Amino acid sequence: MSYETILYSEDGPVGTLTLNRPQDGNMFNATMCREVRDCIEQVRNETRTRVLVLTGAGDKFFCTGGRKDGLEKTQLYAGVLPTLEMYDAIERLQKPVLASINGFAVGGGNVLQMTCDLAIAKESAIFRQVGPMVGSFDAGYGTWFLEDLVGKRRAKEIWYLNEKLTAQQALSYGLINKVVPDDKLAEATREMALHLADRGAFALASLKTAFSARHSGVGGLARMAHDLLLRGYLDTEESHELAASFAERRKPDTSKFGK
């Protein structure tokens, strides 16, 4: 897969998606949002990759938010930076996504790491929400997920006061899972990813979908019932008998039900 604003590579069961605009703080623009979405959709539709790592190019920035350059001047979707394309794609992916935070995670970049399943950061990483001080806000994933991670009062503090958080503060708040020395980030990320890859793929998919269903309403429940349960049902005697009896215009043999 070839992209303009991201890099993607695979090493065994681990795929790595790298935000590749280091000259601009790895900020996402409309192109990057859609390329991240498209890359994750490719990963979603194959079974080689068991874990997806999301990180930033260079050693200073994970992601420092988004730029709205080039969008149409309209209040409709064409004028909105399509960040939800990335967040939704991460939520839909049945595989764990591990954020490897290699520097500043600011604004939408911090929200991006929050939408990942797990997060590991280097010691010098910085976390911050800046919306109200720069004329922006994230009233969706950025508030709900942050409240889930750190609690309502702490989430409001982070959003209202816009203070910088060190990696150790982020860890103590519950915003991330682990902090490692700067020079150990790649090694520790790989180790955690391989641990995840050893877990049951279907079990992890079921757990992730259960967590997602809480916020995703009928869409989340449908991903559980349709994406995870329907395929297994189609292999049962009950399903086979019902399909056959319908095609053969006869009553089904109910002794095959519930097997």
Side-chain angles (χ1 to χ4, degrees):
M1 293 178 281
S2 179
Y3 300 101
E4 177 184 334
T5 65
I6 65 174
L7 302 172
Y8 181 72
S9 63
E10 293 178 7
D11 185 0
V14 181
T16 300
L17 192 166
T18 304
L19 310 177
N20 191 32
R21 300 185 68 244
Q23 75 285 354
D24 195 24
N26 289 325
M27 295 185 80
F28 47 77
N29 54 18
T31 299
M32 181 185 281
C33 291
R34 295 184 178 112
E35 287 189 341
V36 169
R37 173 203 63 193
D38 292 346
C39 181
I40 293 175
E41 286 300 305
Q42 291 285 338
V43 174
R44 185 183 181 208
N45 284 286
E46 48 89 351
T47 56
R48 300 183 308 273
T49 307
R50 302 284 296 278
V51 181
L52 179 65
V53 172
L54 179 62
T55 192
D59 59 7
K60 187 174 181 181
F61 306 108
F62 172 73
C63 177
T64 56
R67 290 203 182 279
K68 303 173 179 62
D69 302 343
L71 297 175
E72 292 190 31
K73 296 185 182 304
T74 173
Q75 297 292 328
L76 299 176
Y77 185 75
V80 176
L81 190 61
T83 54
L84 296 186
E85 302 291 333
M86 299 186 295
Y87 304 158
D88 289 345
I90 291 171
E91 277 288 279
R92 285 194 302 267
L93 183 63
Q94 291 182 342
K95 307 169 187 183
V97 180
L98 171 58
S100 181
I101 302 161
N102 58 307
F104 284 85
V106 178
N110 190 34
V111 177
L112 182 60
Q113 71 86 11
M114 287 191 289
T115 64
C116 297
D117 299 289
L118 298 172
I120 183 171
K122 70 180 187 180
E123 186 74 41
S124 64
I126 296 294
F127 301 80
R128 192 180 193 185
Q129 291 304 150
V130 295
M133 65 184 292
V134 299
S136 184
F137 60 85
D138 185 328
Y141 282 104
T143 50
W144 283 37
F145 277 38
L146 185 59
E147 181 182 346
D148 278 354
L149 291 170
V150 305
K152 182 179 287 187
R153 284 288 172 83
R154 187 69 79 180
K156 287 185 176 182
E157 175 188 324
I158 291 170
W159 267 109
Y160 293 2
L161 299 182
N162 314 123
E163 296 172 342
K164 294 180 181 179
L165 303 179
T166 66
Q168 288 295 341
Q169 283 178 296
L171 180 64
S172 69
Y173 287 1
L175 184 60
I176 59 176
N177 299 97
K178 188 174 184 179
V179 177
V180 297
D182 285 16
D183 62 349
K184 299 295 185 183
L185 180 62
E187 177 186 338
T189 298
R190 177 75 178 170
E191 181 180 4
M192 185 180 288
L194 290 175
H195 277 309
L196 288 167
D198 283 341
R199 304 304 185 259
F202 194 91
L204 288 177
S206 300
L207 288 166
K208 179 167 181 174
T209 305
F211 281 117
S212 299
R214 178 169 175 261
H215 287 320
S216 300
V218 66
L221 292 173
R223 281 196 289 276
M224 173 67 80
H226 182 276
D227 291 358
L228 286 167
L229 300 182
L230 179 60
R231 182 65 184 84
Y233 177 72
L234 295 177
D235 287 333
T236 63
E237 281 192 272
E238 177 178 301
S239 177
H240 293 167
E241 172 59 17
L242 286 167
S245 64
F246 181 81
E248 296 164 9
R249 299 174 183 270
R250 60 173 174 81
K251 290 190 67 172
D253 178 359
T254 58
S255 68
K256 296 181 177 181
F257 289 5
K259 303 294 185 181

